[in-house]
């Protein structure tokens, strides 16, 4: 179109093209965000994000399985022997090293999300080579502290945010 | 393509229409008179079969949506309602669920045919890539459809697959929540899966048109892999291939009918007749048969992220086929070494399918690793190596000329 060098300089028209295009792109991006964000957890889902659990009935060595955010949470009342075992295994070669003391608020109570860190199946309690949990899907073994010991899962069972509302009530979430 | 089949409108109405919307001209040129290689074998009938199965799935699916309730409290019961109360509901649901299996069976034959006869090679790269996109969307659609009955397998398949996304570094967790619409698979997940399961088949339908468009530019490949040289090599699509395709379709329907009427649950899993329970994982989670090879690849790898990447990589690698196999000779007929590795590859895929249904321990794990290795080696090592080293057998000069061309490799 042009053989005159001055035409290579940006013209008013180029400026208008670029600003129009930029405004259009920003506007489109702003429009897209609500369309994407509607897929995130909604207010009714988030409202259910904390629960209170009465643990007075759990016998020593027993556990409760409660639903929190649609996932099971194991609340396990460990025996003295189990606590000693968990602590003594701190020194072993763990895939995801963590001390038992860092995984509990009271040594007697272990609270873990019952979702295998491999692909989200629910491990079965009191099973497996380490007498903790065993995931039937792809064979991950967890110990009595919920730590991964053997199998494909990369990390220990997750500890949910929780606190002791009283001696007999745990608030999860 | 040579255009010897000029469309001539026969009456005043078609002449009037032809200057306004030349749809009859288009139909005539691209369906009725389309010049098709005269030597296509029955492996070439699966494109036609697939088109019909897509239509079957859409029709039965639209009908099922009239009776199905996409809500986690109602979904499982509404499936039983379809099976027991809706007139012919059992037939329509069994046709839809077994139809997906037939669809995948046909697409696998279609893909292996392309692989054997080199149908992905120049000038059909775009045709092949469109096919790969369609195949990927089929997997997504089938997976979402499997979740809708809200049985135990539905629920846990969804959980396992969406958790694959969580392996991605940094964005994994928030992306998982975005897809789930919550912290676990629940009603929001079911609703969006239903919506997308309804939508994607229509996208596939559009892509099928692009696929056929891309096919009609260079025309069909054929068992010799030698390009069409003139009128002597082709016949009109109608009636020659409409009849052949319909015959193959009817034979294929016999298999479909066997499953619908005599063994409708053979390809399903009994656990999916137990309502979804978020608190209890079934002892053994398996996907539908047509996804088992990918499941075997996923589980063959001890590292979680790497396993996920390999699984997706096993599909991604298909997109690059035209540039991995640069051998000019298309058909495996004239490539003795490629032919051998190809048949090992077919067996390898079947083996992976078998292994995907086994518990990944001991010998099964070892075999999974070996066959996963071969799967990738076939594409990434063997194909490029053969492209350089293999000396093809003598080839015919043309489709209609069986005389062997001693010099030319192709064209």
């Amino acid at each position: 179109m042009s053989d005159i060098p001055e035409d290579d300089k940006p013209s008013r028209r180029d400026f208008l093209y670029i600003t129009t295009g930029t405004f259009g792109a920003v506007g489109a991006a702003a429009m897209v965000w609500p369309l994407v964000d509607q897929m995130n957890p909604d207010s009714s889902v988030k409202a259910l994000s904390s629960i209170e659990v009465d643990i007075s009935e759990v016998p020593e060595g027993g556990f409760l399985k409660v639903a929190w955010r649609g996932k099971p949470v194991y609340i396990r009342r460990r025996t003295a022997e189990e606590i000693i075992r968990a602590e003594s295994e701190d020194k072993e070669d763990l895939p995801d090293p963590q001390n038992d003391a860092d995984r509990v608020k009271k040594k007697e109570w272990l609270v873990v999300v019952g979702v295998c860190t491999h692909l989200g199946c629910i491990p079965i309690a009191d099973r497996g080579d380490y007498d903790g949990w065993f995931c039937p899907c792809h064979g991950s073994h967890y110990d009595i502290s919920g730590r991964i010991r053997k199998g494909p899962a990369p990390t220990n069972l997750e500890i949910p945010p929780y606190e002791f509302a009283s001696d007999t009530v745990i608030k999860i979430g | 393509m040579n255009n010897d089949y000029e469309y001539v409108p026969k009456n005043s109405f078609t002449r009037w229409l032809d200057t306004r919307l030349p749809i009859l001209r288009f139909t005539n040129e691209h369906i009725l008179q389309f010049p098709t290689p005269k030597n296509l074998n029955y492996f070439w009938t699966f494109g036609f079969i697939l088109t019909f199965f897509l239509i079957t799935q859409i029709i039965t699916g639209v009908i099922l949506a009239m009776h199905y309730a996409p809500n986690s409290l109602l979904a499982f019961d509404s499936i039983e309602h379809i099976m027991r109360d809706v007139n012919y509901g059992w037939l329509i649901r069994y046709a839809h669920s077994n139809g997906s299996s037939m669809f995948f069976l046909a697409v696998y034959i279609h893909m292996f045919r392309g692989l054997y006869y080199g149908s992905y090679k120049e000038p059909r790269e775009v045709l092949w890539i469109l096919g790969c996109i369609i195949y990927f969307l089929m997997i997504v659609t089938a997976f979402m459809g499997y979740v809708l009955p809200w049985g135990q397998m539905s629920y846990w398949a969804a959980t396992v697959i969406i958790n694959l996304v969580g392996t991605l570094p940094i964005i994994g967790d928030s992306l998982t929540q975005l897809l789930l619409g919550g912290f676990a698979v629940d009603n929001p997940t079911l609703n969006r899966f239903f919506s997308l399961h309804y939508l994607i088949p229509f996208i596939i339908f559009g892509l099928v048109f692009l696929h056929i468009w891309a096919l009609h530019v260079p025309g069909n490949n054929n068992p010799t892999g030698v390009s069409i040289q003139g009128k002597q090599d082709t016949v009109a699509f109608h009636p020659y291939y409409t009849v052949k395709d319909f015959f193959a379709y009817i034979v294929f329907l016999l298999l479909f009918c066997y499953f619908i009427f005599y063994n409708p649950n053979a390809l399903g899993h009994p656990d999916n007749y137990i309502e979804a329970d978020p608190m209890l994982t079934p002892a053994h989670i398996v996907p539908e048969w047509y996804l088992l090879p990918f499941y075997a690849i996923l589980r063959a790898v001890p590292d979680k992220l790497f396993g996920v990447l390999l699984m997706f990589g096993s599909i991604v690698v298909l997109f690059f086929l035209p540039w991995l196999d640069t051998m000019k000779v298309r058909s495996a007929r004239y490539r003795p070494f490629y032919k051998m590795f190809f048949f090992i590859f077919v067996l390898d895929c079947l083996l992976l399918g078998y292994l995907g249904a086994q518990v990944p321990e001991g010998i099964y794990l070892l075999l999974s690793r070996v066959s996963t290795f071969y799967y990738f080696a076939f594409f990434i090592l063997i194909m490029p190596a053969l492209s350089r080293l293999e000396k093809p057998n003598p080839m015919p000069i043309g489709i209609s000329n069986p005389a062997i061309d001693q010099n030319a490799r192709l064209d």
Side-chain angles (χ1 to χ4, degrees):
Chain A
M1 274 177 66
S2 67
D3 31 279
I4 308 164
E6 278 105 73
D7 279 10
D8 290 343
K9 288 181 190 164
S11 65
R12 284 166 58 86
R13 178 145 299 184
D14 290 334
F15 176 76
L16 286 173
Y17 275 142
I18 291 166
T19 45
T20 311
T22 309
F23 271 87
V26 171
M31 282 293 293
V32 164
W33 176 242
L35 302 181
V36 174
D37 191 42
Q38 54 80 25
M39 294 192 46
N40 272 317
D42 61 35
S43 304
S44 71
V45 171
K46 286 183 193 156
L48 297 173
S49 59
S50 117
I51 55 165
E52 293 198 348
V53 187
D54 180 5
I55 53 170
S56 58
E57 306 279 304
V58 185
E60 202 167 287
F63 66 88
L64 266 184
K65 188 174 167 187
V66 294
W68 171 68
R69 291 181 170 182
K71 297 173 189 171
V73 170
Y74 283 106
I75 303 172
R76 186 151 180 165
R77 187 171 175 188
R78 303 189 294 182
T79 63
E81 186 198 326
E82 285 173 337
I83 296 167
I84 293 165
R85 180 151 55 88
E87 289 181 340
S88 69
E89 287 171 358
D90 284 352
K91 296 176 192 70
E92 286 186 24
D93 188 21
L94 301 169
D96 181 16
Q98 208 176 9
N99 287 338
D100 184 61
D102 299 332
R103 293 180 55 77
V104 290
K105 290 196 172 156
K106 293 180 181 176
K107 283 182 181 179
E108 192 181 8
W109 295 97
L110 176 72
V111 183
V112 289
V113 177
V115 173
C116 182
T117 54
H118 182 223
L119 292 174
C121 297
I122 296 178
I124 303 165
D126 290 327
R127 296 270 178 83
D129 296 354
Y130 298 87
D131 292 324
W133 284 267
F134 172 69
C135 182
C137 291
H138 306 100
S140 294
H141 300 258
Y142 298 91
D143 67 12
I144 197 64
S145 187
R147 292 175 294 204
I148 179 67
R149 301 300 290 270
K150 196 172 114 184
T155 56
N156 301 332
L157 289 180
E158 191 194 337
I159 309 286
Y162 71 95
E163 60 192 45
F164 287 89
S166 71
D167 279 350
T168 57
V169 175
I170 289 182
K171 181 168 176 264
I172 303 172
Chain B
M1 291 279 91
N2 53 352
N3 208 342
D4 296 332
Y5 310 100
E6 182 66 25
Y7 169 69
V8 184
K10 289 198 176 62
N11 60 45
S12 58
F13 171 72
T14 51
R15 270 193 296 278
W16 177 84
L17 186 66
D18 196 46
T19 53
R20 285 156 180 82
L21 177 70
I23 189 168
L24 294 176
R25 175 179 297 275
F26 183 85
T27 311
N28 195 64
E29 280 172 15
H30 281 276
I31 298 172
L32 301 180
Q33 298 292 342
F34 188 75
T36 314
K38 63 184 182 180
N39 59 336
L40 299 187
N41 59 31
Y42 274 105
F43 285 109
W44 261 267
T45 59
F46 283 89
F48 185 91
I49 290 170
L50 283 163
T51 311
F52 268 81
F53 268 94
L54 178 62
I55 293 166
T56 308
Q57 289 302 89
I58 288 177
I59 292 172
T60 52
V62 167
I63 292 169
L64 286 171
M66 294 175 186
H67 302 280
Y68 169 77
N71 180 295
S72 59
L73 300 174
L74 306 170
F76 187 80
D77 289 341
S78 75
I79 295 289
E80 286 313 304
H81 162 71
I82 289 168
M83 295 300 288
R84 297 168 194 215
D85 305 337
V86 175
N87 300 330
Y88 294 104
W90 60 272
L91 174 66
I92 295 159
R93 176 164 178 258
Y94 278 152
H96 195 74
S97 59
N98 287 293
S100 73
S101 282
M102 294 297 110
F103 204 158
F104 273 94
L105 177 61
V107 90
Y108 284 137
I109 298 172
H110 192 66
M111 289 163 77
F112 278 128
R113 188 268 290 158
L115 212 51
Y116 184 82
Y117 292 109
S119 300
Y120 48 87
K121 290 180 193 180
E122 192 268 317
R124 296 185 182 82
E125 300 96 326
V126 173
L127 173 62
W128 172 262
I129 289 169
L130 282 167
C132 291
I133 297 171
I134 292 171
Y135 172 59
F136 181 71
L137 288 180
M138 279 174 64
I139 293 175
V140 173
T141 312
F143 161 66
M144 289 180 173
Y146 193 50
V147 175
L148 301 184
W150 210 240
Q152 273 288 66
M153 278 296 156
S154 302
Y155 184 90
W156 291 101
T159 300
V160 168
I161 299 300
I162 294 182
N163 270 295
L164 296 180
V165 178
T167 59
L168 295 174
I170 303 164
I171 56 162
D173 280 343
S174 41
L175 192 58
T176 309
Q177 282 189 16
L178 183 82
L179 293 174
L180 290 171
F183 304 106
V185 175
D186 208 336
N187 193 46
T189 324
L190 178 62
N191 273 309
R192 65 192 54 184
F193 275 24
F194 177 64
S195 170
L196 295 174
H197 182 73
Y198 203 112
L199 166 73
I200 299 175
F202 294 97
I203 297 175
I204 294 178
F205 197 76
L207 285 169
V208 166
F209 273 91
L210 292 184
H211 194 61
I212 296 172
W213 186 4
L215 169 70
H216 279 207
V217 175
N220 293 73
N221 186 23
N222 67 80
T224 66
V226 179
S227 299
I228 294 169
Q229 285 155 349
K231 249 175 101 174
Q232 75 279 7
D233 291 342
T234 65
V235 289
F237 188 78
H238 178 75
Y240 297 99
Y241 284 110
T242 44
V243 168
K244 185 167 182 165
D245 286 351
F246 252 112
F247 177 69
Y249 174 62
I250 289 165
V251 173
F252 202 73
L253 277 186
L254 288 178
L255 182 67
F256 186 35
C257 289
Y258 162 75
F259 280 113
I260 294 177
F261 295 107
Y262 294 95
N263 218 342
N265 289 306
L267 302 169
H269 198 290
D271 274 30
N272 223 23
Y273 283 99
I274 303 168
E275 191 167 0
D277 182 354
M279 294 292 131
L280 183 73
T281 309
H284 192 43
I285 301 180
V286 280
E288 292 273 74
W289 69 266
Y290 41 78
L291 300 179
L292 285 171
F294 302 111
Y295 200 52
I297 291 173
L298 170 73
R299 299 190 305 177
V301 186
D303 182 77
K304 190 169 143 184
L305 179 60
F306 191 52
V308 173
L309 292 177
L310 266 195
M311 189 182 76
F312 284 109
S314 65
I315 295 173
V316 172
V317 73
L318 298 175
F319 285 78
F320 294 94
L321 227 56
W323 296 277
L324 289 169
D325 180 3
T326 51
M327 167 69 79
K328 288 278 181 220
V329 174
R330 295 196 186 98
S331 175
R333 267 191 192 175
Y334 311 105
R335 300 183 61 188
F337 286 99
Y338 176 76
K339 189 192 240 176
M340 185 181 73
F341 286 113
F342 168 83
F343 282 117
I344 297 172
F345 178 73
V346 174
L347 292 176
D348 187 64
C349 290
L350 294 174
L351 179 64
L352 277 171
Y354 169 76
L355 294 168
Q358 308 304 316
V359 180
E361 286 171 358
I363 183 73
Y364 295 124
L365 186 60
L366 180 70
L367 283 173
S368 299
R369 286 176 181 170
V370 173
S371 41
T372 299
F373 176 78
Y374 185 79
Y375 181 96
F376 286 97
F378 178 71
F379 293 119
I380 296 170
L381 301 175
I382 296 172
M383 272 190 168
L386 286 184
S387 303
R388 287 163 184 235
L389 304 173
E390 188 174 18
K391 191 170 154 44
N393 288 343
M395 295 178 53
I397 293 168
I399 292 171
S400 308
N401 190 349
I404 285 167
D405 186 349
Q406 298 291 357
N407 306 314
R409 286 278 165 264
L410 201 76
D411 303 324

